[in-house]
Amino acid sequence: MLISVDAGNLWNAARAGLLGKVDSPEIQANIPAHLRDPESRWVGLTVRARTIMYNTKKVKPEELSTYEALADPKWKGRLCLRSSTHIYNQSLLATMIKRQGEAKAESIVKGWVANNPTLIQGDTKVLEAVAAGQCDAALTNTYYLGRIIAKDAAFPVAAFWANQQTTGTHVNISGAGVTTHAKNRAEAIKLIEFLTSPDAQQMFADSNFEYPANPQAGVNPLIAGWGKFKQDDTNIAAAGEFQAAATRLADRAGYK
Ligand SMILES: [Fe+2]
């Protein structure tokens, strides 16, 4: 088996011929279609939402709406972003390209760049910068906030579900596939079937404050308080398909 974070990584492994097609009605029933390879070579095991984070002392949730709206000049000097070279942001931009087209995605990213964001390496460091008041809003995966809040309930940062009235919040996966030359192929498929079942899903997502990929599984109580949210249901294969385009777009927009 290959297990990895980010659909971009799984997509690249599949394209390189490292993963074999798995025809399992059980896996297909357990995991929604947008979190699975359309050619059945990999499947999501957890959902990781990448959304807007804000300093609760400086920003009201009513001031927030979409990824696009962070390009508004009112956010000038107030944003922290992780570098565009990290795969989480490449995947975010790749799905924006798939969803909105390259021209629209580029104008959004140019808007972010025009707001002079502080670029920081690492989602945890981004959240710490928001908490310290170095910036007011940011984009990170939500489980990083879960990890911090588990230790410090008073941490002054909250998650805002982006694009709920429009395309939904960007989600990525950690996932798995069976290697092309697996010696124990039947057992590997059984293991993935188990890992996508509601009980295993709950354990898996729980351990890292991620969301289960199987919608029948419950979420960790700590993050349940953040509420339900609408996921962007663009097939996450877009993270791989448009990865190179996303890198070029970030380059053109001056997003380092
Ligand atoms: Fe991560």
Side-chain angles (χ1 to χ4, degrees), residues 48 88 143-144:
R48 11 188 63 212
Y88 295 171
Y143 54 87
Y144 290 98

Side-chain angles (χ1 to χ4, degrees), residues 153-184:
F155 193 72
V157 179
F160 177 88
W161 297 120
N163 296 48
Q164 290 303 284
Q165 314 305 325
T166 58
T167 50
T169 298
H170 168 67
V171 292
N172 205 320
I173 55 168
S174 68
V178 179
T179 55
T180 312
H181 301 288
K183 291 194 175 72
N184 302 290

